[in-house]
Amino acid sequence: MIYDFMRLILFFDLPVVSKEDRRIYATFRKYLIKNGYIMMQYSVYCKIFANREAAVKHVSILQRNVPQKGQIRILLVTEKQYAKIEIIVGGKSNQEQVVNSDAFIKL
């Protein structure tokens, strides 16, 4: 079986004005981390999937767990496209260096 690894990139901008807003923000961020997302930048997280079907299935699960206020956007790209990201300033985080398609065990 050939795997076409996919990356789901999630961008979010949630309100943090009130104490309740900050709690919702923190809860959503913890949900992302608990479910295997890694932080690329503030409010930009990504997760790798074995194939497009798994990524699309995850999107429907994700939609049931997002806050009602703010903006949340997703972008699905192939691992090949993701690997072409140019970093202008800074560098890859340790998580980004470790979590890639090489980390998957191919059976």
Side-chain angles (χ1 to χ4, degrees), residues 48-102:
I48 190 168
F49 293 91
N51 54 45
R52 183 170 191 77
E53 183 181 322
V56 169
K57 183 177 179 182
H58 180 76
V59 169
S60 63
I61 295 168
L62 181 63
Q63 288 174 332
R64 293 190 302 259
N65 291 285
V66 296
Q68 298 302 308
K69 289 198 262 180
Q71 293 185 353
I72 299 173
R73 300 166 191 243
I74 58 170
L75 175 66
L76 285 174
V77 296
T78 65
E79 186 65 10
K80 187 175 180 180
Q81 291 168 324
Y82 181 82
K84 291 180 183 178
I85 289 177
E86 291 186 37
I87 299 174
I88 297 173
V89 176
K92 287 186 177 182
S93 69
N94 289 337
Q95 277 187 319
E96 282 183 287
Q97 291 174 9
V98 172
V99 181
N100 57 39
S101 61
D102 297 335

Side-chain angles (χ1 to χ4, degrees), residues 8-9 38-42 44-46 82 85 91 93 96:
L8 185 152
I9 303 173
I38 60 170
M39 185 172 78
M40 292 176 62
Q41 294 180 202
Y42 292 115
V44 180
Y45 285 72
C46 71
Y82 181 82
I85 289 177
S93 69
E96 282 183 287

Side-chain angles (χ1 to χ4, degrees), residues 25-35:
Y25 172 92
T27 301
F28 182 62
R29 185 177 175 282
K30 288 176 186 175
Y31 168 81
L32 293 176
I33 293 167
K34 179 182 169 195
N35 285 280

